[in-house]
């Protein structure tokens, strides 16, 4: 690929970005688009002040949103988007810092060495081939290879040092997030699954018996998990009570009223009271029958899962971490997710099925990765004009035109690949749901890992190793040649990666800012279907499962190509700077944080960065060997070892904080709550926290979209829903009565 083709791609993407940025600054000022660009503020009840319809400024582009995003502090981001938002922006800032160092070293030291690496007659810069600016242009045995090895050391040490400080800072932030946040019900709650079945006792009785026996001093209470069909069955029974009450009272209304004794006629008042007494007895009989029916239904529809509450955080943590039974498949415990984070539909999945589901989804994901080889092979064919002309002879005349050849080789391949990749996140999210996670954050983290592996495999490895499926299989059959194949392919495929950064990076950020899909839906709803009412749900949670893999993929491309093809580094710097501003704006205005994982995405970023560094060093080792520089190759081997040792140190020093809670921290928090007298208040909150349909009024609120019979419903908000005294109330005092029979 020539420099002119790269400049053509850059010009097109710069024009697209400038157009979309200008449109965004205008569209965000229109009141009709408030639900698209200010969904978080609407969801939190803040809204926006109405714009003056006669103000000309509404139709003039302005950079005010850039200034607002730049001036926002990290504490404000933490208050608005939670810790996950801060961690994601830290990943972007880390990449910006690392590649700032790489840009100085590569652009001012390595790029001139690559350009003058061989004695040749250079053309004008736009007519030069991109390979002239890569390490492939350095002749074999040149002493300049040592400068590339030194640059590799500088970039690797800078990355490791920044990783260490970021990991340390985020670890402290996670501990502060746990200790300084309000009392979290999940710290006192353990999710118990795979409760053994007994023909003599219900699941609820089994849970109570087990934990009062083995955790008598710390066990507080429990809530069973029910199938959602039971919830609606209980509602139908409640409606049946009302119908029977009406039918029982109706005959008294049809009685012919006679004059009282004061008017001279005989009044059979005592007979009427007797009938009312009979009616009351009939009501009591009906209520008792429904009571018995509801109790039996609740017992029969219990899931083999329960939320168990403990008196202290430490007791809950110990119970969640300890093996409860000699059979590891029974009484499986884990710390419960936060109430808003629970994925209720997966709680009814039998625990014994989970390992089968994980294997099945893994096989499906791998199969999907190999199916994706077809579009990637087609895209690779487009980057080679000779093979494309041979495959499609009728295009030969068109491809000979300079502008068309630059467009086909420099712009279209990356755009087509980016279009195909839009189908990956929804597919991986579906696979993650089928795995059976019990939390939304766990589902999103699983989807994030799947999308990350998929994009690294298809965008990086498949593209650099070959341009056809058959050649890929022949390459992977020889494992020993992988370092040499990578060393040969990375410099030649760097041009495609540059265009991919321009299309998927720059233009992708502009599309994220515009919110094209919500904007289109909003326009259709208001201008085509003429629906003026705002939608009920106008905000979405941040798509970490798509954006985290995107940022980490660009980091991998930057590390692997930095010393091989330094021209990619300034393109990445621009991308990360734009990402810093745009993602801040989206977190502040668009996305609403409904739940969070407590910074669980940082270990993924750390491990991916270490993988990128080691892969870069292995590729450099192969390149140095091909360039006949044994000294540089010898110095690269210890660098690989040092990087792996650094990763092991971080894994031992910081990673356990993200995996488990520190007993020291939990006990200190328990002591503080006990001294301040807040424990009873926390206990009262536990009873209502894990309720899928919390009762906020004297009548139960049932969503319109009823779940299927296999999904799980509200735990003890309908637990043992019995008629006590004058109403059907829950066992716990915090719930309002379902039906008032006064």
């Amino acid at each position: 690929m020539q420099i002119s083709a790269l400049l053509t791609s850059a010009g097109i993407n710069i024009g697209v970005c400038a157009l979309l940025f200008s449109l965004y600054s205008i569209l965000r000022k229109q009141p009709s688009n408030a639900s698209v660009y200010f969904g978080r503020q609407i969801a939190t009840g803040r809204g926006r002040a109405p714009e003056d319809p006669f103000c000309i400024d509404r139709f003039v582009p302005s950079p005010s949103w850039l200034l607002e995003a730049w001036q926002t502090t990290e504490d404000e981001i933490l208050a608005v988007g939670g810790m996950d938002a801060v961690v994601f922006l830290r990943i972007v800032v880390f990449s910006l810092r690392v590649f700032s160092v790489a840009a100085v070293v590569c652009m001012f030291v390595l790029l001139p060495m690559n350009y003058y690496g061989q004695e040749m007659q250079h053309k004008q810069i736009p007519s030069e081939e991109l390979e002239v600016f890569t390490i492939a242009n350095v002749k074999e045995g040149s002493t300049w290879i040592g400068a590339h090895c030194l640059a590799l050391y500088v970039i690797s040490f800078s990355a490791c040092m920044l990783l260490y400080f970021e990991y340390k800072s985020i670890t402290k932030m996670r501990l502060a997030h746990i200790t300084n946040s309000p009392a979290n019900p999940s710290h006192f709650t353990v999710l118990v699954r795979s409760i053994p079945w007994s023909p003599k006792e219900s699941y609820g009785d089994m849970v109570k018996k087990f934990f009062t026996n083995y955790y008598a001093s710390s066990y507080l209470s429990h809530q069973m998990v029910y199938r959602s069909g039971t919830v609606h069955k209980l509602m139908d029974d409640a409606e049946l009570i009302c119908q029977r009450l009406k039918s029982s009272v109706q005959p008294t209304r049809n009685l012919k009223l006679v004059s009282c004794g004061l008017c001279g006629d005989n009044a059979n008042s005592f007979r009427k009271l007797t009938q009312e007494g009979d009616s009351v007895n009939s009501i009591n009989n009906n209520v008792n029958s429904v009571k018995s029916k509801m109790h039996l239904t609740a017992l029969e529809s219990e899931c083999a899962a329960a939320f168990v509450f403990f008196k202290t955080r430490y007791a809950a943590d110990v119970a969640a971490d300890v093996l409860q039974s000699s059979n590891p498949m029974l009484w499986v415990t884990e710390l419960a997710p936060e109430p808003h984070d629970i994925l209720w539909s997966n709680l009814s999945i039998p625990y014994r099925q989970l390992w089968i589901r994980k294997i099945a989804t893994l096989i499906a994901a791998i199969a999907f990765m190999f199916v994706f080889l077809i579009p990637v092979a087609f895209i690779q064919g487009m980057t080679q004009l000779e093979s494309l002309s041979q495959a499609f002879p009728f295009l030969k005349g068109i491809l000979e035109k300079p502008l068309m050849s630059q467009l086909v080789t420099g712009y279209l391949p990356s755009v087509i690949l980016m279009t195909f990749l839009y189908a990956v996140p929804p597919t991986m999210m579906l696979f993650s749901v089928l795995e059976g996670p019990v939390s939304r954050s766990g589902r999103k983290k699983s989807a994030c890992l799947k999308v990350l592996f998929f994009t690294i495999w298809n965008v990086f490895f498949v593209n650099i190793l070959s341009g056809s499926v058959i050649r890929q299989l022949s390459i992977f059959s020889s494992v020993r040649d992988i370092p040499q194949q990578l060393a040969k392919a990375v410099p030649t495929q760097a041009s495609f990666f540059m265009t991919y950064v321009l299309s998927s990076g720059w233009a992708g950020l502009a599309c994220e800012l515009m919110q094209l899909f919500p904007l289109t839906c909003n326009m259709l709803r208001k201008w085509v279907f003429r629906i003026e009412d705002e939608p009920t749900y106008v905000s979405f949670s941040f798509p970490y499962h798509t954006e985290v893999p995107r940022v980490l993929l660009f980091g991998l491309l930057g590390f692997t190509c930095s010393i091989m093809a330094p021209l990619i580094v300034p393109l990445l710097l621009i991308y990360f700077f734009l990402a810093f501003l745009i993602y801040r704006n989206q977190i502040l205005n668009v996305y609403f944080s409904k739940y969070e994982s407590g910074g669980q995405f940082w270990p993924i970023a750390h491990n991916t960065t270490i993988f990128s560094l080691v892969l870069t060093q292995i590729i450099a080792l192969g390149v140095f060997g091909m360039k006949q520089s044994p000294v540089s190759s010898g110095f690269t081997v210890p660098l690989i070892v040092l990087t792996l040792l650094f990763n092991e140190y971080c894994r031992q020093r910081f990673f356990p904080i993200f995996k488990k809670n520190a007993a020291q921290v939990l006990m200190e928090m328990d002591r503080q709550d006990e001294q301040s007298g807040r424990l009873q208040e926390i206990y009262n909150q536990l009873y209502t926290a894990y309720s899928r349909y919390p009762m906020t009024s004297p009548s139960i609120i049932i969503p319109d979209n009823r779940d299927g019979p296999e999904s799980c419903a509200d735990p003890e908000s309908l637990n043992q829903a019995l008629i006590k005294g004058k109403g059907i109330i829950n066992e716990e005092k915090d719930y309002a009565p379902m039906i008032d029979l006064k």
Side-chain angles (χ1 to χ4, degrees), residues 85-363:
V86 175
V87 168
F88 175 73
L89 291 176
R90 286 285 190 95
I91 297 173
V92 177
V93 172
F94 163 78
S95 303
L96 194 60
R97 291 172 177 171
V98 168
F99 290 110
S100 297
V101 177
V104 174
V105 176
C106 296
M107 296 300 295
F108 294 102
V109 179
L110 300 186
L111 187 63
M113 291 184 177
N114 293 341
Y115 187 70
Y116 296 105
Q118 291 186 7
E119 297 180 0
M120 57 181 297
Q121 186 68 31
H122 289 284
K123 306 176 185 178
Q124 293 183 354
I125 296 297
S127 301
E128 288 281 12
E129 296 289 334
L130 276 174
E131 291 187 2
V132 176
F133 297 91
T134 67
I135 197 173
N137 195 50
V138 180
K139 63 182 179 180
E140 297 180 359
S142 174
T143 56
W144 288 359
I145 297 295
H148 291 77
C149 181
L150 181 61
L152 180 64
Y153 264 84
V154 172
I155 295 173
S156 299
F157 274 101
S158 300
C160 291
M161 182 178 63
L162 291 173
L163 273 178
Y164 172 79
F165 287 116
E166 288 292 343
Y167 217 152
K168 183 178 180 180
S169 175
I170 293 175
T171 301
K172 292 181 179 179
M173 187 188 305
R174 175 175 168 82
L175 293 175
H177 174 74
I178 295 174
T179 56
N180 298 334
S181 60
N184 192 338
S186 63
H187 294 166
F188 295 85
T189 309
V190 171
L191 175 61
V192 183
R193 307 180 74 183
S194 190
I195 302 171
W197 180 81
S198 173
K200 299 180 180 179
E201 296 178 300
S202 65
Y203 285 124
D205 295 336
M206 292 287 292
V207 171
K208 184 176 182 181
K209 180 179 178 181
F210 182 87
F211 284 95
T212 52
N213 186 21
Y214 297 105
Y215 295 91
S217 60
S218 58
Y219 168 70
L220 182 64
S221 179
H222 73 276
Q223 281 184 339
M224 294 305 300
V225 177
Y226 294 91
R227 303 184 187 277
S228 63
T230 306
V231 177
H232 304 294
K233 182 63 176 175
L234 295 176
M235 295 302 99
D236 295 338
D237 290 335
E239 294 176 1
L240 179 61
I241 294 177
C242 295
Q243 294 176 0
R244 292 189 176 182
L245 287 175
K246 292 179 181 179
S247 61
S248 299
V249 177
Q250 189 66 27
T252 63
R253 296 180 180 176
N254 294 333
L255 289 174
K256 182 179 180 180
L257 297 178
V258 296
S259 301
C260 64
L262 297 176
C263 298
D265 294 333
N266 292 328
N268 195 359
S269 300
F270 291 100
R271 179 176 58 83
K272 290 172 62 179
L273 288 175
T274 303
Q275 289 185 1
E276 288 181 1
D278 295 338
S279 178
V280 171
N281 292 332
S282 177
I283 293 173
N284 291 333
N285 293 333
N286 292 333
V287 168
N288 290 331
S289 64
V290 175
K291 168 184 173 180
S292 177
K293 182 179 178 182
M294 294 172 68
H295 181 60
L296 293 175
T297 304
L299 294 179
E300 292 174 357
S301 60
E302 288 178 343
C303 296
F307 294 100
V308 179
F309 307 125
F310 289 84
K311 296 179 180 179
T312 62
R313 298 175 180 85
Y314 178 74
D317 194 72
V318 171
D321 195 47
V322 172
L323 191 65
Q324 304 295 335
S325 172
S326 58
N327 183 357
M329 299 295 288
L330 296 177
W331 296 106
V332 180
T333 56
E334 60 179 306
L335 280 176
E338 294 183 2
H340 296 292
D341 193 19
I342 296 176
L343 194 60
W344 294 98
S345 59
N346 282 350
L347 286 178
S348 63
I349 298 176
Y351 183 79
R352 296 175 182 271
Q353 291 183 8
L354 294 183
W355 68 276
I356 302 176
R357 286 171 171 262
K358 291 181 180 179
I359 293 176
T361 54
L362 177 62
I363 295 174

Side-chain angles (χ1 to χ4, degrees), residues 99-100 125 146 246 423 530 570 612 659 685 687-688 722:
F99 290 110
S100 297
I125 296 297
K246 292 179 181 179
R530 299 293 182 178
S612 302
K659 191 175 181 180
Q685 294 176 359
Y687 300 139
T688 57
L722 307 177

Side-chain angles (χ1 to χ4, degrees), residues 557-727:
L557 296 180
F559 282 119
T560 53
C561 297
S562 56
I563 66 170
M564 308 296 168
L567 282 178
I568 198 175
V569 178
L571 304 180
L572 286 171
L573 272 180
I574 296 174
Y575 165 77
F576 287 120
F577 180 73
L578 291 176
F580 175 76
L581 295 176
I582 290 175
Y583 286 131
R584 274 181 160 234
N585 176 78
Q586 302 300 84
I587 292 170
L588 290 172
N589 298 315
V590 178
Y591 297 113
F592 180 64
S593 179
K594 302 173 185 176
Y595 54 86
E596 60 177 340
S597 63
Q600 291 292 338
F601 292 102
W602 177 255
I604 298 176
H606 174 87
N607 294 333
T608 305
T609 304
I610 293 296
F611 170 78
S612 302
L613 286 174
V614 174
L615 180 63
T616 302
Q617 294 158 5
I618 292 175
I619 294 173
L621 182 63
V623 171
F624 297 157
M626 291 173 54
K627 294 297 181 179
Q628 298 180 2
S629 178
V631 176
S632 299
S633 300
F635 275 100
T636 305
V637 174
L639 183 60
I640 299 175
V641 176
L642 290 175
T643 304
L644 294 175
L645 290 176
F646 167 77
N647 179 57
E648 182 63 21
Y649 170 78
C650 290
R651 193 178 70 86
Q652 298 290 338
R653 171 62 179 84
F654 301 117
F655 181 67
I657 302 297
F658 291 83
K659 191 175 181 180
K660 298 180 180 180
N661 293 324
Q664 179 184 7
V665 174
L666 297 179
M667 295 182 73
E668 288 293 334
M669 295 173 66
D670 290 334
R671 289 195 185 102
Q672 292 176 4
D673 290 338
E674 185 177 0
Q675 293 173 0
S676 62
R678 290 183 299 177
L679 281 179
Q680 189 59 45
E681 179 184 353
I682 295 174
Y683 295 160
N684 294 335
Q685 294 176 359
L686 292 177
Y687 300 139
T688 57
Y690 288 92
S691 174
R692 187 177 185 181
Y693 304 119
M695 299 185 185
T696 57
S697 65
S699 60
I700 242 180
I701 300 174
I702 297 293
D704 294 334
N705 51 335
R706 298 188 176 188
D707 296 333
E710 290 303 321
S711 61
C712 280
D714 157 47
E716 294 267 312
S717 66
L718 294 174
N719 170 26
Q720 302 172 0
L722 307 177
I723 300 174
K724 291 186 177 180
K726 296 183 179 180

